[in-house]
Amino acid sequence: MAVWIQAQQLQGDALHQMQSLYGQHFPIEVRHYLSQWLEGQLWDVIDLENPQEEFKAKRLLDSLIQELQTKAEHQVGEDGFLLKIKLGHYASQLKSTYDRCPLELVRCIKHILYTEQRLVREASNSSSPVGGMMDSMSQKYQQINQAFEELRLLTQDTENDLRKLQHNQEYFIIQYQESLRIQAQLTSLATLPPADRQLREPTLLSKRATVEAWLTREANTLQKYRLDLAEKHQKSLQLLRKQQTIILDDELIHWKRRQQLAGNGGPPEGGLDILQSWCEKLAETIWQNRQQIRRAEHLRQQLPIPGPIEELLNDLNSTITDIISALVTSTFIIEKQPPQVLKTQTKFVATVRLLVGGKLNVHMNPPQVKATIISEQQAKALLKNENTRNDSSGEILNNNCVMEYHQATGTLSANFRNMSLKRIKRSDRRGAESVTEEKFTILFESQFSVGGNELVFQVKTLSLPVVVIVHGSQDNNATATVLWDNAFAEPGRVPFIVPEKVLWPQLCEALNMKYKAEVQSNRGLSEENLVFLAQKAFSSASINPDDYRGMTMTWSQFNRESLPGRNFTFWQWFDGVMELTKKHLKPHWNDGAILGFVNKQQAQDMLMSKPNGTFLLRFSDSEIGGITIAWVAENPNKPGERMVWNLMPYTAKDFSIRSLADRISDLNHLLFLYPDRPKDEVFSKYYTPPLSKAVDGYVKPQIKQVVPEFTTTNPDPAANPTYMDHGASPVVSHPPNYGIYPPMSDSMLDADGDFDLDDTMDVARHVEELLRRPMESQWSGQQS
């Protein structure tokens, strides 16, 4: 509702101009009471010159009437009664006025909104307080719409001038023919007797002189008209080129950048409807001007008059052809990118679209699009217009598709639904570069003509870089290459150059974007989390965020060199955390139950000030995709001494056996989630429900987690009930020895308080194996 609020603050002549926009054709009360709705509709998407758009306009008219009727129904009180009648009357009036010509309603509203925006903008430019209320986005859109209005008026003006020129030239030709006729009469006088010749010749000579004087004068006038028209066309083309630069080099490039960041988990790039409507307006205006220039050229050929106009028209024709060529080739875009980590022998999809296809009637002879995979070097050669001899770096199945026109949306696109990369041909790698650092791209190309084969276009577009893998184990490192490229590629770069190092805050932004998208969480990485990551990345102990703001991280540090004392890189560790959280820990991360990015020493410092049984969850430093539980408790070997214990990290494999919540439930010595939340309050909603009673004489077994040093019998289960206490399998504090595995006599906690689960996992595997066996073989001789 911003524009209407600002419009109401106009003063003087601007306010009078705004008020004059309204009347019987569109009452100002409708603008006032439906201001938010009116400004929220996509009026600019509707092409007023296209009769097929009438059904869209009709829907908007129906919606407008419905909004008015709804607003009327909600009026109450004495004043509301009168307003209810008035709004109802306006609904009927608008329906009767525009029901048969809904496009006129759209034209009317577009004119009103455009004029209001212009008045507000002019007030803003004169330092009016209104200026500060306009956001940059709406201002930009208003400037684009204003430029289109100027172009429309200029094009209409040149059209009128062209018609005037044509009319004057036709009259000139008629008078020229008259001069020829007079000259023929004068020539024929030679055959007449002298007396007759002397009688008629003076009149004809006088008439010839008058006509020739008029022709000379009119020829100069026509030449001036032609030059004036050419100058106006030059002005139109300058504005067209400027408008096209804004739309293609700013708005479309920004859309492509958003599309690239969306590959890293950024917000969706947004639809193309507004961009397409702008591009179609450009195409329409360019084509109208091109036709006008061609008509002017035809008039010049029809009546050659010496002067500079021939060269001017040639320049104009060349310029307008360049402009439309740039528009067509730039609007052949990839609407849906192929996957950037591309696995061979795997189906993938992509969609390419021509934003001006419908307006230029390209669909009348539907073009075919071909997809080819090419290497980084081949992409460089392609952009340099070097002959690549149709080289490719692999074979894509189902790589040809015909562009289809969708009448309802007015879009021309090719949907590749079943492509598959059959094989890939790799180039020699540089230095330490691995196969997952090698970049390829999918080249989409087509050819089509416009204006009845008047112009033929070869169009090409490259996908975002793709990394080709042959096995799922390569996915991790390939994703790192893609993330770095998407985050830090410069616009207009040479394929596919990226910086070797970036500032730490830039990398943090990329990591946070990726983390939130992968985990599908609104809870991103906090400043404390990012400090922890910086400590890990730079082997630093500083906890001050400012110490890292000016630091840079190289690609090698990111995913080539292993972290100190580890056999994995920074990215591999971070990606493992994302995968674990995404697949097994998402609800707990969203609940804030997982601190995660805390090292062992920090965990100890935090827990030592808390009561026994307080615990926290942190990601393992030593294992990819691991999370551990740290808790504070008495040292069983030294009564009275407290210490922090760390359980061996859990991985995705562990959670596929038993969930985190159930494992926490099993451990009775864990009482409070840091800082002081009772664990059942946090985790009970995720506990596995109690097992059902025995069926057909069978008792269902149950796996439970036990830490021997901290196993205690609950004296009163009812006093502290959990779901697991009521399971079909009893809680076993000291399991009897069934002879399946040797008794565990040694302590499973080392001197540092780290718990080694190797032996316990062996036990778990034995139990898993038993559970897989048929019941008869397990319990033969023991069943009743």
Side-chain angles (χ1 to χ4, degrees), residues 524-591:
L525 301 175
S526 66
E527 188 169 89
E528 291 79 10
N529 298 157
L530 296 173
V531 167
F532 169 87
L533 292 174
Q535 292 173 330
K536 181 176 287 293
F538 300 114
S539 300
S540 169
S542 172
I543 60 172
N544 185 358
D546 293 334
D547 291 344
Y548 302 105
R549 297 196 194 284
M551 297 183 71
T552 59
M553 191 170 193
T554 66
W555 165 253
S556 292
Q557 288 173 302
F558 183 67
N559 197 44
R560 241 184 222 165
E561 302 166 359
S562 294
L563 291 170
R566 307 296 182 196
N567 62 351
F568 48 79
T569 66
F570 173 85
W571 164 256
Q572 288 167 347
W573 181 88
F574 183 80
D575 186 59
V577 165
M578 284 196 302
E579 280 294 301
L580 182 71
T581 307
K582 174 174 70 174
K583 292 179 178 177
H584 298 284
L585 308 176
K586 187 196 309 185
H588 307 305
W589 173 263
N590 289 338
D591 289 347

Side-chain angles (χ1 to χ4, degrees), residues 670-682:
L670 303 182
L671 304 176
F672 304 102
L673 178 67
Y674 183 90
D676 55 8
R677 298 171 67 190
K679 75 173 184 183
D680 286 346
E681 178 186 299
V682 179

Side-chain angles (χ1 to χ4, degrees), residues 437-491:
E437 293 179 41
E438 187 179 4
K439 300 173 191 174
F440 297 87
T441 180
I442 309 294
L443 165 66
F444 296 94
E445 51 190 335
S446 184
Q447 174 181 308
F448 51 83
S449 61
V450 298
N453 294 326
E454 209 175 293
L455 294 174
V456 179
F457 296 99
Q458 300 277 349
V459 292
K460 300 179 181 181
T461 188
L462 296 175
S463 75
L464 293 173
V466 300
V467 178
V468 177
I469 64 174
V470 297
H471 192 274
S473 61
Q474 298 173 310
D475 184 80
N476 174 291
N477 292 323
T479 301
T481 301
V482 167
L483 180 139
W484 191 277
D485 192 282
N486 286 344
F488 310 123
E490 295 288 337

Side-chain angles (χ1 to χ4, degrees), residues 281-293:
K281 282 183 181 179
L282 278 172
E284 184 177 27
T285 308
I286 292 169
W287 198 255
Q288 287 173 347
N289 278 269
R290 186 174 187 274
Q291 294 302 99
Q292 288 179 8
I293 292 168

Side-chain angles (χ1 to χ4, degrees), residues 693-743:
K693 295 181 180 180
V695 179
D696 298 331
Y698 291 105
V699 177
K700 291 186 178 180
Q702 179 176 320
I703 297 175
K704 292 186 69 70
Q705 177 177 248
V706 175
V707 179
E709 293 288 346
F710 289 88
T711 301
T712 58
T713 303
N714 189 348
D716 183 8
N720 184 26
T722 68
Y723 285 105
M724 303 315 300
D725 289 332
H726 299 288
S729 299
V731 176
V732 180
S733 299
H734 302 283
N737 182 7
Y738 290 108
I740 300 172
Y741 38 79

Side-chain angles (χ1 to χ4, degrees), residues 7 11 140 161 229 260 365 461 624 651 689 704:
Q11 297 178 354
K140 184 187 297 182
D161 285 358
L229 180 60
Q260 190 172 25
N365 184 19
T461 188
I624 294 178
T651 64
K704 292 186 69 70

